[in-house]
Amino acid sequence: MSQPISKAIVPAAGLGTRLLPATKSQPKEMLPVGRKPVMQYVVEELQSAGLMQILMITGRRKQAIEDHFDADPVLLSALEQAGNETMLAELSYIQRGSRFFYTRQSSPKGLGHAVGLGAEFVDGQDCVVALGDSVIAAEDPAAPLRAMMEAHRALKAAAVVAVEHVPLEETHRYGIVIAQGDELSPGEPVLMADIIEKPPRGTVSSPLAVAARYTFSPAIFEALQRTPPDSQGEIQLTSASKLRIQMELPVYAWLFRPDQRRYDVGNFESYFRTFVDFALADERYGYLARQYIKAKAYEL
Ligand code: UTP
């Protein structure tokens, strides 16, 4: 029987060009969403899914990521001496038994290239890939990954790729999945017939977009090596997945349930939406945020 997945790769080396100037000197993956940076949500999700070995793919100007997940004895003892239990609890993500590994992608040659840098870390095992600029909102944010990992094991999958519905007029901005058969039920893995990176407008009728969470068998690394760069010089993870479908390997799509939602901070529109929704849902300060927004709505 295959071993449970214990390793995750978190690509976080992209330039974040669409978020300049906010990302001039700080990683987009460290932008705050409510009270935490994006990466902390990602790491807490992985920890809750039992993924304790986490490889971050970083790069230039990404130092803040390492600092955030590094133990800080001076800060901890200051909080202990002050008896600040609340803040100590807020920092518990550092000490949940995870091991953090880092490698640098020196030039941003695409998501596929970034994931490929994890080959030695994964060392022939199945793994999870979780994009560092996307968070899951759900009562249990790790539930989608747990279900995908279970499906991966039970189906002996080559890959399970999370997907979400997007409006048909926006499919040209996403990796689009064509599922086998007509219907894809939430939470039910379905074999993929095809996957297309940013299809030209009006060329696909599937509204299923790749959504930032994946499981892979180790053969993905061979596929990545065989994937040529696209016209922008980037190696796409979607193209490597397509290669595997063409080899008739079992690559599955997994649709989020209605109460689970993927948010990303890739551009200002999605960042603002993400921040507002998380601030409104915050258990400590959400009430104040909701009051403020209500008052503001009268002015608009
Ligand atoms: P994006 O393509 O959305 O990020 O990648 P980007 O390249 O930073 O975006 P822009 O166009 O410059 O604004 C999604 C995830 O993949 C990582 C990013 O850090 C992000 O978490 N990524 C992307 C890499 O690690 N390396 C790459 O070469 C590209």
Side-chain angles (χ1 to χ4, degrees):
M1 215 179 78
S2 60
Q3 285 182 331
I5 302 180
S6 63
K7 294 182 179 180
I9 301 175
V10 183
L15 296 181
T17 325
R18 285 167 292 165
L19 290 169
L20 283 168
T23 49
K24 168 72 172 64
S25 62
Q26 67 165 338
K28 76 167 160 181
E29 296 80 6
M30 288 300 291
L31 289 175
V33 165
R35 285 184 288 133
K36 299 182 214 172
V38 178
M39 270 302 231
Q40 188 177 331
Y41 291 96
V42 177
V43 163
E44 287 174 346
E45 176 194 341
L46 296 174
Q47 289 170 330
S48 299
L51 295 152
M52 291 305 174
Q53 298 187 64
I54 301 174
L55 172 69
M56 318 258 194
I57 312 293
T58 68
R60 234 160 272 119
R61 296 188 287 277
K62 302 279 182 174
Q63 195 65 40
I65 297 175
E66 280 188 50
D67 290 344
H68 193 73
F69 295 99
D70 192 15
D72 188 336
V74 176
L75 175 62
L76 291 185
S77 75
L79 291 172
E80 269 161 21
Q81 275 174 19
N84 195 336
E85 298 299 327
T86 314
M87 280 305 159
L88 280 168
E90 294 289 349
L91 295 174
S92 65
Y93 67 90
I94 304 169
Q95 297 171 319
R96 287 200 189 130
S98 310
R99 289 201 60 200
F100 298 106
F101 301 83
Y102 299 91
T103 194
R104 282 171 72 125
Q105 186 190 27
S106 303
S107 51
K109 294 185 195 153
L111 176 58
H113 178 260
V115 171
L117 295 174
E120 283 164 296
F121 164 78
V122 165
D123 195 22
Q125 296 172 27
D126 293 340
C127 68
V128 156
V129 170
L131 300 196
D133 68 350
S134 295
V135 286
I136 307 297
E139 198 182 328
D140 174 6
L145 259 188
R146 253 188 248 114
M148 290 167 64
M149 285 156 59
E150 175 52 28
H152 185 103
R153 193 196 55 78
L155 298 164
K156 296 190 171 53
V160 181
V161 178
V163 296
E164 63 188 353
H165 279 289
V166 295
L168 279 178
E169 58 277 14
E170 286 178 23
T171 47
H172 61 283
R173 293 153 139 215
Y174 297 88
I176 296 296
V177 162
I178 319 285
Q180 285 188 16
D182 303 331
E183 278 298 311
L184 187 54
S185 305
E188 299 288 336
V190 168
L191 278 169
M192 280 190 205
D194 201 1
I195 184 167
I196 307 155
E197 181 65 18
K198 300 194 175 83
R201 276 171 201 270
T203 57
V204 291
S205 56
S206 167
L208 301 172
V210 174
R213 297 293 182 265
Y214 313 75
T215 65
F216 286 115
S217 70
I220 188 66
F221 296 103
E222 199 190 308
L224 283 167
Q225 274 185 345
R226 290 173 46 196
T227 303
D230 64 12
S231 57
Q232 314 293 313
E234 294 193 353
I235 294 172
Q236 299 296 347
L237 191 54
T238 333
S239 311
S241 302
K242 190 186 189 81
L243 204 63
R244 308 205 71 204
I245 297 170
Q246 285 166 346
M247 291 165 75
E248 297 187 0
L249 289 166
V251 175
Y252 290 87
W254 188 93
L255 181 62
F256 287 108
R257 294 179 187 279
D259 58 340
Q260 303 165 336
R261 181 162 169 200
R262 194 275 300 232
Y263 284 86
D264 75 81
V265 300
N267 57 59
F268 281 114
E269 187 193 347
S270 62
Y271 175 45
F272 290 168
R273 212 183 295 139
T274 305
F275 192 101
V276 169
D277 280 5
F278 275 71
L280 292 175
D282 189 283
E283 57 186 26
R284 205 178 306 159
Y285 298 101
Y287 174 70
L288 293 171
R290 289 192 294 276
Q291 274 191 324
Y292 178 71
I293 297 258
K294 265 188 211 150
K296 207 70 194 156
Y298 281 115
E299 291 172 23
L300 295 175

